[in-house]
Amino acid sequence: MRGPSAPVSDDWLDAYVSSGSRFRDDVWELDIHTAGRRAFHKILRWPSALPTDSQISKEQHQQLIRAAKQYLWSLSTDPPPGRRRPSAPTLQAHGQLVQTIIAWMATEGLSAFRLLTPSVVGQLVAWLRARPGAGTRGTLKPTTVGFYLNVINTMYLQRAKLEDSPMVNPVPGSSTSGLAGVCKRTAARIPFIPDPVAVDLLSKALDWVENHSATIIAAIDLAERTYRTAAAEGWKESWTRTIVNRALAAADIPGADGVPLTQTVTVRRAGNHLTAACFALIAGLVGMRASEILSMQVDAVELMPIGETGLSQAYVVARLFKTSQDPRGSLERWIAPQPVVSAIDCLARLAAVLRADTKGVDLFIVKDGFGAPIEVMTNHLITWRLQQFAEAVDTVPHEGRTWEFSSHQFRKTFARFIARGDRTQLLALADHFKHASVAMTSRGYVGTDFELHQLINEESRNETAWALDRILASESLGGRMGERIAAGNHGFRGRAGEEVRRDYVDFVLAETDLHIRGCDYGWCVFQPEVAVCGGEIAPNEALRSPSACSSCPNLVVEPRHAGYWQERRTRNQALWERASPLARASLAETIGECDRMLRRIQEVEGV
């Protein structure tokens, strides 16, 4: 059965799916240039053999594969209205999904896609939900099940262009995500790294890069040179390793923990941890995607003057793939704080040692042993190394458990940090924001990365909702805005006010443009018309300070901020005791600010 306007010839089989492969080929070598993919990640192989428990003939199996190829051809040449033509990585992903569907169909005796009726699709969903995966019960996540259903639904939408496709809406009266069970609870959004964990990991990563990279790279260099010399002298592989270990033992080069790096295995492990530390700093302090970071090459840092100030700002130059029209990615720049510049320099030195006399410009490279070829680093590998590094440096636990890192989490964490407006919480970010603020506003930190702008806006809304809920429920608030809220929020407090408070927060987010921006000494319920700092769309970071905010009608301080005000008071009291009479007047005013704030937020809490 054909669709009403299905192709009448097989010309589509000779069309090119890539520069070197046609749709009729059983091996597609796709033009995928996204960083972090090796050669085998760019190939899609179509099975020639039947599944072992197949209930259809080989000819029927090949007809299914032909239909799948035609479906992908239709997406490439004439996608459904409103959809863009898929990129090579997307085409490969669709191909892998449809291959899994074909394998299931073969075992169920389904010889054509037109047999995928709603009831049959329901059986497929049940099978997919039971497959092993990374869900909460070790099965596929609902979002992954939704990807499979989206392939079937898209095939239905393309039915007029295909010889074989579902002819009845496979998800009538529903959506693919709804049928897959995707909801807020199961959406499996990428989490941000909790603040204490992020602080700990980035601080230790910075320590590795600044204080231990030189000795680690020296040990790797010694091992590589010794191996090459031994190999050139004709020593067998088993002996070369012994010779390298003896050289390392004699050199007695200390590792990050102070223990000498005397074995090839410990040297290689230290190099892996150093690479992960560099990635964490770049991802955590710049907010780039993993593919963008892995695309970085030698000389990735570019200095640009800041107006006529005589100063310069460092930028990371890398390739943006996801939103680029160029399949090879477009060159973009991201502002780079000094820790990131140090990390890139560290990677360049490490890569030069690993390459020796071979050519290459990539910074994130892998060498799986002496004499092994240089490979590009994959996203999966860098995620594994991040976890190994976190375990090696013993990062602080979260809720009693070791945090499971992934490369994507750093981007979300960066966005949340920007959205919160807290410029002082992460030790490794303090220098970054102080330097960058000379050049641009908060929205300028991410350059032309518009998707990150959207992510920041989403996190800003989440932060506003969370802060507003806390403020409305609190009995003890300081700051001019805080005192006003505490005087009239009785109906929002306690368990009785939970539902009212939740409804009010939803109303505020939906009907107003209110933004609450945090810092370590309070919340700014931002209203530009009365902001002492003079900010127009957000607090002015250049003029924002505890003293300025104390007199601002926008400030709210709650008991969780007491530590900052107590520490500020102690610090200024120590200065007052040894200051001149003239300076004491100013310090006494600051101490008074702290006393008034602490007295207000401790009135009800009794702390």
Side-chain angles (χ1 to χ4, degrees):
M1 181 184 296
R2 294 191 179 194
S5 58
V8 296
S9 71
D10 288 345
D11 291 347
W12 65 272
L13 287 167
D14 290 321
Y16 281 96
V17 67
S18 67
S19 58
S21 300
R22 300 176 188 266
F23 279 93
R24 70 165 61 252
D25 297 337
D26 288 332
V27 177
W28 290 0
E29 296 180 0
L30 299 171
D31 297 327
I32 298 177
H33 305 285
T34 307
R37 290 178 180 242
R38 297 183 185 175
F40 63 88
H41 291 141
K42 305 174 184 180
I43 293 176
L44 184 62
R45 299 181 185 276
W46 293 96
S48 57
L50 282 167
T52 55
D53 51 353
S54 174
Q55 301 298 313
I56 63 175
S57 67
K58 184 173 183 180
E59 181 180 357
Q60 291 170 328
H61 185 246
Q62 289 303 309
Q63 285 299 318
L64 285 173
I65 291 176
R66 171 189 168 92
K69 291 180 177 179
Q70 191 182 60
Y71 158 67
L72 296 175
W73 164 81
S74 74
L75 288 183
S76 300
T77 57
D78 187 17
R83 297 193 189 183
R84 296 174 56 185
R85 294 180 180 180
S87 63
T90 300
L91 202 66
Q92 183 190 44
H94 271 254
Q96 292 172 334
L97 292 171
V98 78
Q99 285 182 13
T100 300
I101 295 172
I102 288 174
W104 175 80
M105 292 175 65
T107 60
E108 294 295 318
L110 301 169
S111 59
F113 285 106
R114 63 177 176 271
L115 300 176
L116 292 178
T117 61
S119 61
V120 173
V121 171
Q123 297 174 33
L124 172 62
V125 170
W127 177 77
L128 288 170
R129 286 176 174 170
R131 291 189 74 202
T136 54
R137 298 182 179 179
T139 54
L140 291 186
K141 298 177 182 178
T143 48
T144 305
V145 176
F147 294 151
Y148 285 97
L149 293 180
N150 182 58
V151 168
I152 297 174
N153 190 58
T154 306
M155 188 177 287
Y156 166 72
L157 296 177
Q158 294 287 83
R159 63 191 182 280
K161 310 162 192 175
L162 305 176
E163 297 168 352
D164 178 30
S165 68
M167 300 307 295
V168 180
N169 186 352
V171 286
S174 181
S175 64
T176 55
S177 58
L179 183 58
V182 178
C183 60
K184 286 185 177 181
R185 181 179 59 82
T186 63
R189 298 172 61 190
I190 297 172
F192 59 80
I193 305 170
D195 288 346
V197 180
V199 171
D200 192 46
L201 180 75
L202 292 178
S203 298
K204 289 172 178 175
L206 186 61
D207 178 55
W208 270 65
V209 169
E210 292 189 339
N211 301 320
H212 305 298
S213 61
T215 54
I216 292 172
I217 293 174
I220 296 172
D221 183 40
L222 174 61
E224 290 284 341
R225 287 188 290 104
T226 304
Y227 173 83
R228 290 195 298 271
T229 300
E233 293 175 353
W235 291 96
K236 293 182 179 181
E237 184 67 25
S238 58
W239 270 103
T240 55
R241 191 174 302 278
T242 300
I243 293 171
V244 171
N245 287 338
R246 287 175 178 174
L248 289 171
D252 197 35
I253 300 174
D257 57 0
V259 178
L261 300 169
T262 59
Q263 299 288 322
T264 56
V265 63
T266 57
V267 169
R268 186 172 295 115
R269 186 183 301 124
N272 294 345
H273 292 339
L274 184 59
T275 302
C278 292
F279 182 95
L281 285 175
I282 299 169
L285 308 193
V286 182
M288 299 166 69
R289 297 181 184 88
S291 61
E292 295 152 3
I293 297 174
L294 297 180
S295 77
M296 291 167 50
Q297 298 182 341
V298 176
D299 300 326
V301 176
E302 183 177 296
L303 296 177
M304 300 182 67
I306 304 175
E308 298 179 357
T309 63
L311 303 174
S312 61
Q313 173 64 58
Y315 288 82
V316 175
V317 180
R319 290 192 175 274
L320 178 77
F321 295 96
K322 187 166 184 179
T323 58
S324 175
Q325 297 298 317
D326 187 343
R328 296 182 180 274
S330 57
L331 282 176
E332 299 289 348
R333 293 175 176 81
W334 289 261
I335 203 164
Q338 185 54 47
V340 169
V341 175
S342 299
I344 294 173
D345 175 69
C346 175
L347 288 167
R349 289 184 283 121
L350 179 58
V353 167
L354 293 177
R355 283 196 182 94
D357 298 327
T358 62
K359 296 180 180 179
V361 293
D362 292 320
L363 286 183
F364 284 92
I365 59 175
V366 178
K367 190 174 184 181
D368 294 329
F370 298 118
I374 298 294
E375 298 277 3
V376 297
M377 186 168 292
T378 64
N379 185 44
H380 176 77
L381 179 58
I382 196 62
T383 293
W384 183 79
R385 286 193 177 179
L386 283 168
Q387 194 63 40
Q388 293 295 307
F389 173 71
E391 293 174 4
V393 298
D394 194 23
T395 53
V396 296
H398 175 66
E399 297 180 350
R401 300 177 59 183
T402 302
W403 182 260
E404 292 189 12
F405 291 90
S406 74
S407 61
H408 304 296
Q409 294 171 3
F410 291 89
R411 181 173 172 86
K412 182 72 172 285
T413 305
F414 178 84
R416 179 173 178 267
F417 183 79
I418 293 289
R420 294 174 66 188
D422 188 338
R423 307 274 181 216
T424 56
Q425 192 171 67
L426 298 183
L427 175 63
L429 286 176
D431 181 56
H432 171 41
F433 288 111
K434 182 174 65 176
H435 190 188
S437 63
V438 178
M440 56 186 68
T441 63
S442 294
R443 288 185 175 274
Y445 288 123
V446 293
T448 57
D449 194 340
F450 298 110
E451 187 181 90
L452 187 52
H453 282 311
Q454 294 176 343
L455 185 58
I456 289 171
N457 289 337
E458 178 184 346
E459 289 302 316
S460 179
R461 286 174 58 83
N462 293 340
E463 184 71 8
T464 294
W466 183 81
L468 185 57
D469 183 77
R470 287 185 60 91
I471 291 170
L472 290 174
S474 179
E475 300 179 53
S476 181
L477 298 172
R480 292 177 61 182
M481 175 63 78
E483 293 178 13
R484 287 174 53 196
I485 292 175
N489 68 350
H490 304 282
F492 293 111
R493 298 176 189 166
R495 183 169 298 178
E498 283 184 8
E499 186 173 349
V500 177
R501 189 168 70 246
R502 184 167 54 248
D503 291 343
Y504 182 71
V505 170
D506 290 342
F507 167 78
V508 169
L509 293 178
E511 302 296 334
T512 75
D513 59 354
L514 176 71
H515 289 284
I516 300 179
R517 304 296 294 268
C519 62
D520 54 343
Y521 54 82
W523 300 103
C524 176
V525 183
F526 186 70
Q527 301 172 94
E529 60 274 11
V530 295
V532 171
C533 65
E536 296 180 359
I537 61 174
N540 186 332
E541 296 300 334
L543 299 178
R544 189 184 193 187
S545 68
S547 293
C549 293
S550 292
S551 62
C552 182
N554 295 338
L555 182 67
V556 177
V557 179
E558 57 172 319
R560 72 193 299 264
H561 301 116
Y564 176 89
W565 292 98
Q566 184 60 60
E567 191 277 334
R568 184 173 184 241
R569 188 196 188 286
T570 301
R571 185 174 64 251
N572 281 276
Q573 180 66 43
L575 293 173
W576 183 88
E577 292 173 357
R578 57 178 183 271
S580 65
L582 186 62
R584 282 188 172 186
S586 176
L587 291 170
E589 183 177 347
T590 300
I591 293 171
E593 286 177 0
C594 297
D595 286 338
R596 287 191 295 273
M597 202 66 68
L598 288 168
R599 189 162 51 248
R600 176 61 187 164
I601 62 180
Q602 293 172 357
E603 282 179 356
V604 177
E605 298 294 327
V607 294

